[in-house]
């Protein structure tokens, strides 16, 4: 029998398979599970367990960025540049969101 904690998580957790590698994307704010207003600007953490990742990446997600703000800077997913698979996965849940890697090099 599956425990209630596994059926109804207390914190948002996503198990990912990106580019053939398994990883975990998680948040520490339980409001992301029940309060859509918490989905404005929030942090998610990413860990893939690979040797090249020495610490958990802290990502800032902004779901209400404006298209004119995006046009002022060339983002990592601009035409002709590669977009990290993790950012594309995040945008399946929050379309149009901007992802800040906060100084961490994006995992391609």
């Amino acid at each position: 029998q599956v425990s209630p904690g596994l059926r109804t998580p207390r914190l948002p957790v996503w198990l990912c398979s990106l580019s053939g590698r398994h990883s975990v994307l998680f948040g520490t704010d339980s409001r992301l599970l029940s309060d859509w207003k918490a989905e404005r600007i929030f942090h998610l953490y990413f860990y893939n367990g690979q040797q090249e990742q020495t610490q958990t990446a802290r990502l800032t997600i902004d779901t209400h960025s404006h298209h004119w703000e995006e046009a002022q800077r060339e983002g990592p997913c601009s035409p002709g540049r590669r977009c990290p698979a993790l950012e594309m996965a995040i945008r399946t849940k929050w379309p149009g969101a901007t992802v800040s890697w906060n100084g961490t090099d994006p995992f391609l």
Side-chain angles (χ1 to χ4, degrees), residues 9-12 27-35 38:
R10 292 190 176 113
L11 295 172
T28 57
D29 186 354
S30 62
R31 294 178 308 144
L32 286 174
L33 295 171
S34 59
D35 184 5

Side-chain angles (χ1 to χ4, degrees), residues 53-83:
Q53 185 179 6
T54 58
Q55 61 184 4
T56 302
R58 180 177 181 254
L59 309 173
T60 302
I61 314 301
D62 183 352
T63 61
H64 288 82
S65 59
H66 303 291
H67 66 278
W68 58 84
E69 292 171 346
E70 191 67 25
Q72 291 177 357
R73 63 174 179 81
E74 185 176 344
C77 297
S78 300
R81 297 188 71 183
R82 292 178 61 190
C83 184

